[in-house]
Amino acid sequence: MIDVIKARWFQKYRTIKYPMAPPPPLPERFRGVPVVQTQRCQKECDACIQACPVQALERMPGRSCIVTDLGRCIFCGACQDACPSQAIFFDRDHRMSTDKRGDLLVSQERQLPLARGMSDAIHRVLGRSLKLRQVSAGGCNACEADVNVLNTLAWDLGRFGIQFVASPRHADGMLITGPVTRNMASALQATYDAIPTPKIVIATGACAISGGLFRGHDACLDGVHGIPVDLFIPGCPPHPLTILDGLLRLIHRLPADEPADRDPQGGF
């Protein structure tokens, strides 16, 4: 017993203090929202659009404005590498979760509105103790792994009253990962139906939002359809900090910020 106490004393406090303190440092390879710098972007050049493997970029007709669909983006960096004028870069902001699918369409003229969270009526019922059923609807296990990180000692998701449960009948909502394969469609719907009302749905990762790299494949349904989604968390996979930020916004533990200035150089 004394050895255990000594070991615990040596290890000290391991759980991050966020959101009561600044978030932990992000890895050097982390990529946030792709930002297009207007003054550098060449109207006649579509190199970034052609390089994107998931068709997440589109130029508005007759204009130099490029729209990025964060629901499709896999943050691979191909657009940045292909741009001859170096007009595209990825910011370092982990905050990317939104309430609506359409809010994930961003451009030089339209900033990313962050999630405002569940309605006050639902928050009064679920806000202090949120139980989620995680459903892997054909995912590659990358999003699932980063969701599991939140249950580790360093992140301790349970301190916010958010826990994952085994049965949908004990859940307040479900967190979906994967492109929703045809074989998982009925199971996903059955899980949703088994959750008592009021309930919430969280689409996590590009696959759950749009199908991701599997979009258009005959074996999948290109993400969650037919089930109302309350929170969209983009990424491939989303960083655990991005997932945590979205969950905390959902339960009103973080303020409903105004859209962030994503480009100090004026690109947004």
Side-chain angles (χ1 to χ4, degrees):
M1 183 62 181
I2 294 178
D3 291 340
V4 173
I5 295 175
K6 287 182 178 179
R8 184 67 185 87
W9 180 265
F10 176 77
Q11 291 175 0
K12 301 187 183 298
Y13 190 77
R14 293 297 183 93
T15 304
I16 61 174
K17 297 181 179 180
Y18 178 81
M20 303 305 294
L26 292 165
E28 185 176 339
R29 62 182 180 273
F30 173 82
R31 293 190 178 114
V33 174
V35 177
V36 180
Q37 295 177 298
T38 322
Q39 67 274 23
R40 291 187 178 182
C41 183
Q42 303 174 15
K43 183 177 179 181
E44 299 79 11
C45 174
D46 287 335
C48 59
I49 297 175
Q50 297 170 4
C52 181
V54 290
Q55 295 82 49
L57 300 175
E58 181 180 5
R59 187 181 297 277
M60 296 183 66
R63 304 169 67 179
S64 61
C65 180
I66 292 180
V67 177
T68 304
D69 186 350
L70 295 183
R72 290 186 182 181
C73 182
I74 58 172
F75 300 84
C76 63
C79 56
Q80 182 181 27
D81 296 338
C83 181
S85 57
Q86 298 181 334
I88 301 178
F89 70 92
F90 289 80
D91 71 18
R92 301 281 299 169
D93 197 331
H94 65 274
R95 303 170 301 165
M96 287 184 275
S97 300
T98 64
D99 297 315
K100 301 176 182 177
R101 176 67 177 90
D103 287 343
L104 292 175
L105 302 177
V106 298
S107 69
Q108 299 99 313
E109 300 176 357
R110 188 175 188 278
Q111 298 178 358
L112 177 66
L114 299 175
R116 294 172 292 275
M118 63 179 71
S119 67
D120 291 338
I122 297 179
H123 184 255
R124 283 193 291 269
V125 178
L126 307 180
R128 290 187 173 274
S129 180
L130 187 62
K131 312 298 183 185
L132 297 174
R133 176 68 171 97
Q134 199 276 319
V135 179
S136 178
C140 69
N141 207 39
C143 291
E144 294 84 346
D146 276 0
V147 169
N148 286 340
V149 167
L150 298 180
N151 289 318
T152 62
L153 176 66
W155 297 82
D156 191 14
L157 185 63
R159 62 194 163 113
F160 304 110
I162 305 175
Q163 296 178 332
F164 291 97
V165 296
S167 171
R169 299 192 184 280
H170 300 160
D172 303 311
M174 61 179 177
L175 186 149
I176 306 170
T177 56
V180 188
T181 61
R182 296 187 182 277
N183 288 340
M184 278 297 298
S186 59
L188 185 65
Q189 184 65 52
T191 302
Y192 176 78
D193 294 339
I195 299 174
T197 54
K199 49 191 166 186
I200 58 173
V201 175
I202 303 165
T204 303
C207 284
I209 297 173
S210 68
L213 286 168
F214 305 99
R215 186 169 63 90
H217 196 285
D218 291 340
C220 74
L221 302 179
D222 295 347
V224 182
H225 294 284
I227 295 176
V229 177
D230 301 280
L231 182 68
F232 297 89
I233 306 178
C236 187
H239 190 276
L241 188 57
T242 300
I243 301 172
L244 178 61
D245 175 83
L247 293 176
L248 294 182
R249 292 182 188 281
L250 181 68
I251 61 174
H252 299 185
R253 289 295 297 268
L254 286 175
D257 297 325
E258 294 296 323
D261 181 6
R262 294 276 175 173
D263 178 17
Q265 302 298 324
F268 252 53

